[in-house]
Amino acid sequence: MTELLIKNGFVFDPLNGINGEKMDIAIKDGKIVASVSDQNAKKIDATGLTVMPGAVDVHTHIAGGEVNTGRMIRPEDHVKDVVRKTAITRSGTGYSIPSTFVTGYRYSKMGYTTVMNPSMAPLGAKHTHEELNDIPLLDKATFPLLGDWWFVLENLQKGDLEGCARHVAWIMETTKGYAIKIVNPGGLESWGFGRNVHSIDDVVPNFDITPREIVCGLAKVNKMLNLPHTIHLHTNNLGIPGNYVTTLETMKALESVPNDGKPICHITHVQFSSFAGDNWGNMKSAAEEISRYINNHNHMTFDMGQIIFTDTTTMTADGPFEFTLYQLSGHKWVNSDVETETSGGIIPMHYKRKSAVNATQWSIGLELALLVKDPWKIFMTTDHPNAGPFFAYPKIIAWLTSKKARMATLAKCHKKAQKKSLLPSINRELSLYELAIMTRAGQSKALGLKGKGHLGVGADADVAIYNINPETLDITQKYKTARKAFDSAAYTIKDGKIVVKDGEVVQNVDGRTMWLDVKTREQLKVDEEMKRKFKEYWTVEYENYPVFDHYVKVPEAITVKADV
Ligand SMILES: [Zn+2]
């Protein structure tokens, strides 16, 4: 029996409405409890420190085919960031695509305890889970790419939502997945023929279906299956000037799906989907248009996809978009088509303050986060590593909480971007409470993670403690001090164990991999059908495909009962 008592910290726990109150947090056997005995418990004196639930990342590419291929085509990325072993941690490499162990250490050092790998080709599921198994200190889950999977397209085309739902349930169990990921719906199947879709009403070749029908169909299927998270969507025309129109049309199309006033879709890295203008010369922010829509509707959540000025690596299932990036940049690239399922591409990218386009993108991400009034609707991400590496999060925190910090960066940006930026007109500075929503509570709620993102009794004992005294430190002015504190947590506690102290990993524990065991009425029938279909549709045998239970090092199956 292990007991831990965190004493006298300033607690920010938005899911329980706690806003900086001085209080104790008690932990027993890996869970938050009402109290522990003062005598037996190990104590952490958190006087003058900020206590939050462990941070949660809703969208970060940390494992699987794209990530590993990215590592292979970019040796220059690792040689500049070699990580030595310590008595506790293993050696590894960064920078933008860190090795598995380093990924765990660097997240944990910032107070993160749960991360979502949002983009898994089902055919690559075994590899993805092998890498997730290797990432220490974090609970994880992974989202299979299903927006262009033939069984989704075929069933939706026939109007058979139940059939589609049963196949989605099958693949969730078979790949040990957690949520439905949709990337450039219809565009990835088109890419198999060197084509793309350019609006939500373009027809996908060989399948008489449109992106609108795929997105709305899967949002309905998601509800039929009672999945904890919504559909997780990378919109059509991502990264193209003028694409905010497509984003607005997509959000409006989703109004047709019954939603009970609750989110039914998460649009990821919305910065990349909020461009106005019609070419790269006149590209500008559509943050006002997009945030106005978000402020007036409740059926969606979002994450930022914030640009960081650094050398990074883009990787996405959006093969046609990566081809466009290749044409723009001329950089080395990888592109692939995954039979019956998805596509993918990887290109190095260096975002520069002196590029008018990059600096405008940087501004758009922050404008969106600050113009959306409700922090429960938009979460902090960089779409790691697409818009920048995750370890830059403390910089984003500084920009969100301090106008001084963001104006200092804007002053170094391309003059054209400075002139177009909405940031000088935005005075909002997020409070620690709002920040706790955007970095853990909101993400956890959107993901349907009941035991995470809060410090209520029964929650997982995942806690982050930062060296910030809200009574004496004005983070709007001393943003560099705050940035340092968020970069190196005073303590990170995972499942009740102290794993980080003063920014250093002091103990190694394995995180769990959460996956959905979705129970449908015709599970066996679907399995029999898929065994037959493998001969027709795939180049691999059925027997080689499923991720069996023992492939997952520390599995946490979440049972979901569906009425189909
Ligand atoms: Zn992504």
Side-chain angles (χ1 to χ4, degrees), residues 59 61 118 181 268-269 315 383 386:
H59 189 111
H61 301 264
K181 176 69 182 297
T268 188
H269 38 69
M315 53 182 65
D383 181 18
N386 282 292

Side-chain angles (χ1 to χ4, degrees), residues 394-410:
K395 283 188 187 171
I396 307 178
I397 292 176
W399 292 325
L400 291 173
T401 54
S402 163
K403 181 163 186 181
K404 193 171 154 189
R406 54 187 186 255
M407 293 311 286
T409 304
L410 184 65

Side-chain angles (χ1 to χ4, degrees), residues 365-434:
L366 295 174
E367 292 164 14
L368 284 162
L370 295 162
L371 290 173
V372 170
K373 291 179 191 151
D374 182 355
W376 294 97
K377 287 183 180 173
I378 187 162
F379 315 129
M380 189 181 81
T381 64
T382 57
D383 181 18
H384 164 82
N386 282 292
F390 66 81
F391 56 77
Y393 284 166
K395 283 188 187 171
I396 307 178
I397 292 176
W399 292 325
L400 291 173
T401 54
S402 163
K403 181 163 186 181
K404 193 171 154 189
R406 54 187 186 255
M407 293 311 286
T409 304
L410 184 65
K412 292 184 214 150
C413 286
H414 192 285
K415 289 273 174 295
K416 221 168 133 186
Q418 285 194 40
K419 251 171 87 184
K420 286 194 262 191
S421 174
L422 305 175
L423 290 178
S425 67
I426 302 173
N427 293 322
R428 184 172 173 205
E429 293 172 321
L430 295 187
S431 66
L432 286 171
Y433 187 75
E434 289 173 309

Side-chain angles (χ1 to χ4, degrees), residues 248-540:
L248 281 176
E249 282 172 357
T250 306
M251 297 193 285
K252 283 180 191 156
L254 280 157
E255 287 176 33
S256 70
V257 180
N259 61 56
D260 319 317
K262 291 201 189 102
I264 50 159
C265 176
H266 178 86
I267 289 188
T268 188
H269 38 69
V270 63
Q271 173 271 130
F272 286 113
S273 302
S274 305
F275 300 172
D278 48 28
N279 61 58
W280 289 110
N282 66 16
M283 173 265 197
K284 60 180 181 160
S285 169
E288 274 182 317
E289 291 85 344
I290 295 290
S291 60
R292 192 179 309 127
Y293 181 91
I294 297 175
N295 286 332
N296 289 321
H297 294 83
N298 295 320
H299 64 302
M300 316 271 304
T301 55
F302 304 82
D303 66 85
M304 293 167 69
Q306 176 60 37
I307 293 286
I308 304 297
F309 296 119
T310 190
D311 179 27
T312 193
T313 312
T314 68
M315 53 182 65
T316 166
D318 197 342
F321 170 62
E322 289 285 23
F323 180 62
T324 307
L325 268 189
Y326 160 70
Q327 287 175 313
L328 283 168
S329 67
H331 293 156
K332 58 184 173 182
W333 63 311
V334 170
N335 210 282
S336 68
D337 175 66
V338 182
E339 52 188 282
T340 84
E341 295 177 352
T342 184
S343 69
I346 298 152
I347 297 200
M349 178 66 61
H350 196 146
Y351 297 108
K352 297 189 173 96
R353 279 185 283 261
K354 294 299 175 198
S355 150
V357 168
N358 295 164
T360 299
Q361 285 185 272
W362 170 82
S363 186
I364 293 172
L366 295 174
E367 292 164 14
L368 284 162
L370 295 162
L371 290 173
V372 170
K373 291 179 191 151
D374 182 355
W376 294 97
K377 287 183 180 173
I378 187 162
F379 315 129
M380 189 181 81
T381 64
T382 57
D383 181 18
H384 164 82
N386 282 292
F390 66 81
F391 56 77
Y393 284 166
K395 283 188 187 171
I396 307 178
I397 292 176
W399 292 325
L400 291 173
T401 54
S402 163
K403 181 163 186 181
K404 193 171 154 189
R406 54 187 186 255
M407 293 311 286
T409 304
L410 184 65
K412 292 184 214 150
C413 286
H414 192 285
K415 289 273 174 295
K416 221 168 133 186
Q418 285 194 40
K419 251 171 87 184
K420 286 194 262 191
S421 174
L422 305 175
L423 290 178
S425 67
I426 302 173
N427 293 322
R428 184 172 173 205
E429 293 172 321
L430 295 187
S431 66
L432 286 171
Y433 187 75
E434 289 173 309
L435 190 68
I437 298 170
M438 284 183 71
T439 53
R440 50 266 281 163
Q443 313 225 11
S444 179
K445 188 179 173 198
L447 289 162
L449 298 170
K450 295 221 162 49
K452 298 192 181 295
H454 72 100
L455 299 172
V457 170
D460 293 344
D462 296 348
V463 189
I465 306 178
Y466 300 108
N467 196 1
I468 291 177
N469 183 331
E471 281 180 352
T472 56
L473 181 74
D474 178 1
I475 61 171
T476 67
Q477 298 304 310
K478 302 269 188 193
Y479 62 86
K480 285 184 185 161
T481 309
R483 198 168 73 194
K484 233 180 252 161
F486 282 109
D487 183 59
S488 288
Y491 292 91
T492 305
I493 295 159
K494 177 85 200 73
D495 291 323
K497 299 187 182 90
I498 298 170
V499 292
V500 166
K501 190 167 182 307
D502 300 325
E504 300 287 334
V505 175
V506 293
Q507 186 180 180
N508 238 321
V509 300
D510 283 325
R512 299 184 289 271
T513 301
M514 299 170 283
W515 62 276
L516 301 183
D517 185 6
V518 189
K519 306 282 186 205
T520 62
R521 286 197 298 269
E522 302 196 32
Q523 232 156 340
L524 278 176
K525 226 165 111 186
V526 175
D527 205 46
E528 287 308 313
E529 179 208 337
M530 296 310 276
K531 277 180 187 159
R532 289 195 304 276
K533 287 278 168 73
F534 258 80
K535 300 261 179 252
E536 253 177 84
Y537 280 41
W538 272 275
T539 58
V540 296

